[in-house]
Amino acid sequence: MGKTLTEKILEQHLVNGKSERGSDISIKIDQTLTQDATGTMAYLQFEAIGIPRIQTELSVSYVDHNTLQTDFKNPDDHRYLQSIAAKYGLYFSRPGNGICHQLHLERFARPGKTLLGSDSHTPTGGGVGMIAIGAGGLDVAAAMAGEAFHLKMPNVINVHLTGNLPDFVSAKDVILEVLRRIGVKGAVNKVLEYTGPGVKTLSVPERGTITNMGTETGATSSIFPSDEITKEFLIAQERGEQWVAIAPDEDAVYDETIEINLSELVPLVSLPHSPGNVKTVKEVEGLNVDQVCIGSCTNSTLRDLKISANILKGKTISEHTVLTVSPGSRQVVNHMIKSGEMSYLIEAGARILENACGPCIGMGLSPKTDAVTLRTFNRNFLGRSGTKSAQAYLVSPETAAVSAISGKITDPRTFGALPKIDMPKKFMVNDNMIIPPMEGKESIEIVRGPNIKPLPEFNPLPDKLKGEVLLKVEDDITTDHIMPAGAKILPLRSNIPEISKFVFNLVDPTFPDRSLEKQGGFIVGGDNYGQGSSREHAAIAPKYLGLKAVIVKSFARIHLANLVNFGIVPLTFENKEDYAKVEQGDEFEIDLTTIESGKVALKNLTKGTEIQLTHSLSETELKVLKAGGKLPFIKQKHVN
Ligand code: MIC
Ligand code: SF4
């Protein structure tokens, strides 16, 4: 029986478990990446594990999220990260070099390898044919210490592409089509594997757009084969020798198939406030647009900026629309300047921002009250832009550029002829802002600014959990709901006591105080709880406030792992209808002595009822939970 590409790579990296769908496996991790917003915590944890040097083939620490530097906090964290990289043998991508996923694809991603990143969009690397997975910082710290990564052997969805993209329809529309079909929970514990003749019509950066935003379907990863196009890309990045051809077997067996004829696609858009809320651009055409933002790890490649610039060439943006452009990397900026195309953007009125995450995570350029903001980004969650009343729509660079001119959401196919763009045969490679690992730096002193607070310590799990339902929430709660980001909160990522004051800030700002007052308690939620980011702060900060267990209809993959890593018990209702039978304020008692059986009983002391709860935790995860989290668990292992 033929194998999928996903199975091939996972089997080559298998450390434990069987290559059978749904079984618990652990895999060797070849590469890791971190970014600064999750990285400080990941390296504090790595330090706590106590290994003198990283054990991976390659680990890179990027700085791209917190580059606003409104005070000492961000630059202090940058220095901390730089000293960590030097001491432990990592590559350090200096602030200003670009967005981690774009840079990793350009400079480090390798076909056939595994990559674990403390950012949910790590699957971007799947654009060159690697298994790239997003995880919490502690899992990445553990991988750097040489620990295998645990996951469930995923189901594999075959996304079979045929045809050719029509003019003004691009890679973003492909992934929006996938989201339109399967929604934001359609690929939880699954990998999206792209096959078919349409694959060869897409360049690696276009594939990267698709694998990047596969995250919004809940997928564990997304992957393209490594073919002649991949080879061309790696040669253009002066990395031709790293190319290997890898593809699924002809008779590979998939769990599901999605057929997409690229020729039939039209420009698509995600409506507020979910990437899965997909319509055709035609359906919302004419809506006035206050802000257009081009950039983010989804759509900031040279191809994306070139097409935007050539659409805007000789035009002026609408007088009531602000246009921002945040390029993905210095390489992209440099090309745009040398070719003169950056001028087209500037002359049209674009505000050119730093090549960093920027407005995607609310780090500056928040839109005005009630604004309609049209973004080439991957997320449009409520409040993420920094303005709670703003309505964010997600589109391709083509739709964004054309709409910036008209000031209204506009189907780009009405623009006229598609401008021609020339892609270089060789990229302008310059790694002088990436500091490579050096020998003999072990004695270097780690620089810790006052914003870097020690890790909180947590206790082993008791047999009984007792407390109040502090909050009851609906389906699809994102990590942006649980632990918001933005210019005010993001700089507090290395200071758990401070950041915990903002837990559930947009949902119920009284949560932190109530939780501390009651000495913790429970959260009850609906389906897909914790979708979105990999930020482990959505687990650590609630844990710091005393959260004991989260009881929901279903979890998103990374958040579930983060809860376990920090000793919060993730439980699901055996019967989803029981969700309706509990209320905020109810007093619960949960007996954990039966947890190994897969079931536990919940006594609702307020209502005098009993409910059955279940979980999907592996033996190792249960051990981690009992130890009070992954850090004490690993420390025990390394000490013994
Ligand atoms: C995001 O897009 O939400 C982030 C910010 O990149 C996060 C990581 C983080 O919260 O630091 C992600 O996607 O994992
Ligand atoms: Fe940065 Fe936005 Fe990409 Fe997250 S989604 S890594 S914030 S650009």
Side-chain angles (χ1 to χ4, degrees):
M1 202 166 70
K3 292 200 166 130
T4 64
L5 179 50
T6 306
E7 284 170 291
K8 287 188 183 181
I9 301 179
L10 288 177
E11 282 175 15
Q12 275 161 15
H13 289 82
L14 207 59
V15 175
N16 268 311
K18 283 209 187 80
S19 172
E20 282 163 12
R21 308 288 207 263
S23 62
D24 292 309
I25 57 166
S26 50
I27 55 165
K28 176 183 175 288
I29 295 299
D30 301 322
Q31 304 187 343
T32 65
L33 74 77
T34 57
Q35 38 87 343
D36 51 313
T38 53
T40 44
M41 196 47 64
Y43 295 111
L44 283 168
Q45 291 161 156
F46 181 76
E47 286 186 277
I49 297 173
I51 299 272
R53 208 165 165 88
I54 54 149
Q55 306 290 307
T56 45
E57 287 173 15
L58 171 135
S59 288
V60 194
S61 170
Y62 295 94
V63 179
D64 54 2
H65 282 62
N66 273 312
T67 56
L68 208 51
Q69 297 175 219
T70 50
D71 64 16
F72 64 91
K73 295 192 200 72
N74 299 163
D76 280 6
D77 285 0
H78 301 169
R79 280 293 164 200
Y80 167 74
L81 293 171
Q82 186 164 351
S83 60
I84 287 279
K87 188 177 177 88
Y88 294 107
L90 289 95
Y91 286 84
F92 181 68
S93 170
R94 297 178 61 182
N97 201 34
I99 306 176
C100 57
H101 308 302
Q102 168 73 18
L103 287 167
H104 207 83
L105 195 68
E106 287 174 2
R107 306 304 309 140
F108 296 109
R110 284 178 78 153
K113 298 278 179 188
T114 54
L115 164 69
L116 194 71
S118 65
D119 191 284
S120 64
H121 292 106
T122 302
T124 314
V128 297
M130 76 191 304
I131 288 286
I133 303 178
L138 183 47
D139 281 326
V140 176
M144 287 189 289
E147 295 277 322
F149 176 66
H150 297 270
L151 73 159
K152 290 218 180 305
M153 186 70 189
N155 277 7
V156 187
I157 304 182
N158 177 10
V159 189
H160 188 253
L161 304 178
T162 51
N164 274 296
L165 286 171
D167 285 356
F168 290 103
V169 179
S170 61
K172 180 61 152 282
D173 300 304
V174 178
I175 188 61
L176 290 179
E177 174 65 13
V178 174
L179 272 156
R180 194 182 69 78
R181 305 255 192 117
I182 67 173
V184 291
K185 20 185 188 293
V188 176
N189 291 329
K190 299 177 187 173
V191 171
L192 294 166
E193 190 167 306
Y194 290 83
T195 67
V199 162
K200 66 174 186 313
T201 68
L202 300 166
S203 66
V204 166
E206 289 172 296
R207 296 175 185 184
T209 294
I210 296 169
T211 52
N212 171 284
M213 205 173 167
T215 297
E216 271 53 62
T217 66
T220 302
S221 193
S222 297
I223 189 166
F224 274 82
S226 168
D227 56 11
E228 287 301 314
I229 310 266
T230 321
K231 186 176 181 182
E232 235 171 70
F233 174 79
L234 289 174
I235 291 173
Q237 290 287 357
E238 295 176 8
R239 301 200 285 129
E241 76 291 349
Q242 296 178 2
W243 180 73
V244 288
I246 38 166
D249 291 334
E250 288 283 322
D251 57 344
V253 180
Y254 290 93
D255 301 282
E256 290 164 56
T257 298
I258 298 175
E259 289 284 349
I260 297 183
N261 181 348
L262 299 174
S263 312
E264 287 172 2
L265 289 185
V266 298
L268 295 171
V269 51
S270 296
L271 271 44
H273 297 286
S274 170
N277 197 359
V278 180
K279 297 271 181 296
T280 64
V281 171
K282 267 265 167 294
E283 285 173 90
V284 287
E285 213 173 19
L287 188 68
N288 279 336
V289 175
D290 303 288
Q291 185 190 48
V292 174
C293 302
I294 296 173
S296 93
C297 55
T298 319
N299 276 125
S300 59
T301 64
L302 185 58
R303 182 243 162 238
D304 294 333
L305 261 69
K306 272 179 176 274
I307 192 74
S308 308
N310 285 285
I311 287 173
L312 285 153
K313 183 179 179 186
K315 306 274 195 300
T316 301
I317 56 170
S318 161
E319 65 186 36
H320 63 82
T321 307
V322 173
L323 171 64
T324 73
V325 177
S326 20
S329 68
R330 278 190 324 139
Q331 187 181 84
V332 172
V333 177
N334 215 0
H335 272 283
M336 291 295 290
I337 291 176
K338 287 252 163 82
S339 69
E341 288 161 303
M342 192 64 102
S343 298
Y344 306 164
L345 293 170
I346 293 169
E347 282 161 14
R351 295 168 69 175
I352 310 293
L353 308 181
E354 187 175 10
N355 30 306
C357 297
C360 175
I361 192 62
M363 291 304 272
L365 263 297
S366 294
K368 72 176 183 65
T369 308
D370 299 335
V372 168
T373 171
L374 204 60
R375 319 183 131 208
T376 67
F377 307 165
N378 47 36
R379 289 186 175 147
N380 56 350
F381 300 147
L382 179 78
R384 184 174 162 99
S385 64
T387 304
K388 192 173 174 188
S389 67
Q391 306 284 313
Y393 293 72
L394 307 174
V395 293
S396 69
E398 289 82 348
T399 304
V402 171
S403 304
I405 300 167
S406 62
K408 295 178 168 45
I409 296 187
T410 306
D411 188 322
R413 293 171 301 177
T414 58
F415 179 78
L418 181 73
K420 284 246 163 330
I421 55 168
D422 293 321
M423 288 300 289
K425 284 264 167 299
K426 286 253 179 246
F427 289 105
M428 292 163 68
V429 172
N430 179 355
D431 287 336
N432 66 347
M433 287 295 118
I434 299 178
I435 304 175
M438 278 170 279
E439 293 300 325
K441 295 275 179 186
E442 294 76 13
S443 59
I444 213 170
E445 208 178 307
I446 300 299
V447 189
R448 276 173 236 276
N451 190 43
I452 299 194
K453 294 280 181 273
L455 293 173
E457 298 217 353
F458 303 127
N459 298 324
L461 199 66
D463 281 343
K464 247 191 197 131
L465 301 175
K466 210 167 163 222
E468 182 181 310
V469 177
L470 296 164
L471 194 68
K472 184 177 175 188
V473 286
E474 304 288 312
D475 287 353
D476 293 326
I477 286 297
T478 73
T479 49
D480 279 88
H481 288 109
I482 306 169
M483 187 70 264
K488 188 164 133 200
I489 307 175
L490 209 54
L492 302 172
R493 286 286 180 92
S494 34
N495 187 340
I496 299 301
E498 269 312 299
I499 205 168
S500 69
K501 294 179 183 157
F502 297 93
V503 171
F504 281 114
N505 198 255
L506 292 174
V507 179
D508 178 356
T510 68
F511 180 85
D513 283 346
R514 285 195 294 113
S515 187
L516 284 175
E517 197 187 298
K518 300 264 155 91
Q519 296 184 331
F522 304 103
I523 288 174
V524 171
D527 269 316
N528 204 20
Y529 182 84
Q531 69 160 321
S533 156
S534 69
R535 65 189 68 150
E536 57 192 357
H537 298 76
I540 312 173
K543 172 78 183 185
Y544 179 82
L545 298 173
L547 183 63
K548 297 171 185 167
V550 180
I551 304 144
V552 298
K553 291 184 191 165
S554 65
F555 286 101
R557 177 187 63 88
I558 307 180
H559 188 60
L560 172 65
N562 284 336
L563 290 174
V564 174
N565 284 352
F566 294 96
I568 301 172
V569 189
L571 296 164
T572 44
F573 292 104
E574 189 171 50
N575 295 314
K576 286 192 178 184
E577 300 79 59
D578 286 338
Y579 167 84
K581 297 184 187 148
V582 298
E583 275 172 277
Q584 190 164 315
D586 283 358
E587 195 67 33
F588 280 2
E589 189 180 280
I590 303 177
D591 178 4
L592 294 177
T593 49
T594 60
I595 197 161
E596 257 103 21
S597 71
K599 290 192 182 183
V600 295
L602 179 160
K603 276 197 190 126
N604 188 333
L605 304 177
T606 311
K607 301 223 157 37
T609 51
E610 192 166 309
I611 288 177
Q612 274 299 321
L613 303 176
T614 59
H615 66 78
S616 57
L617 303 173
S618 67
E619 232 172 87
T620 318
E621 283 171 318
L622 283 175
K623 282 189 193 146
V624 169
L625 254 187
K626 286 194 174 154
K630 189 159 182 164
L631 204 50
F633 177 74
I634 300 178
K635 277 206 228 155
Q636 272 170 16
K637 255 177 68 175
H638 284 282
V639 170
N640 299 335

